Amino acid sequence: HTTWVYRQATIDWHLDVLQGQNDVELEHIVVHEFAHVLIDGLRQCVPKTAHAEDLMEYTTEGVARALMYAREFDKLPPVEGEY
């Protein structure tokens, strides 16, 4: 359940499924689920079609990957000439 206006959610974690994941996979799963909370308000803007859920999942995964990339990008040393 998500109260997207306040960026609050209840997330059910299925620990039996998660126990076989390594740290990188776990981090990705957590970021992906948090991305669902961030973008859930867009759900009301997506017409209810056969592909609506696929579109929301695609968008969520894109946001999750961007967040993961940004975190890694921040760890890179600065490029000479950057300000």
Side-chain angles (χ1 to χ4, degrees):
H1 173 70
T2 301
T3 307
W4 64 268
V5 177
Y6 301 107
R7 293 187 181 133
Q8 296 176 343
T10 300
I11 300 173
D12 294 324
W13 298 103
H14 298 275
L15 299 180
D16 56 326
V17 175
L18 297 176
Q19 72 183 16
Q21 309 296 318
N22 64 39
D23 287 350
V24 173
E25 293 166 334
L26 282 173
E27 182 178 25
H28 183 88
I29 291 167
V30 169
V31 171
H32 177 93
E33 295 308 317
F34 288 161
H36 272 293
V37 176
L38 289 173
I39 67 166
D40 197 59
L42 297 175
R43 185 176 302 278
Q44 66 187 358
C45 301
V46 176
K48 301 216 183 296
T49 66
H51 300 290
E53 285 304 312
D54 289 341
L55 177 61
M56 290 303 296
E57 196 60 37
Y58 176 82
T59 304
T60 298
E61 183 60 20
V63 169
R65 288 181 185 203
L67 290 169
M68 297 287 289
Y69 176 79
R71 186 181 70 83
E72 290 302 315
F73 185 79
D74 193 44
K75 294 178 182 177
L76 297 174
V79 176
E80 189 173 322
E82 277 188 345
Y83 28 150

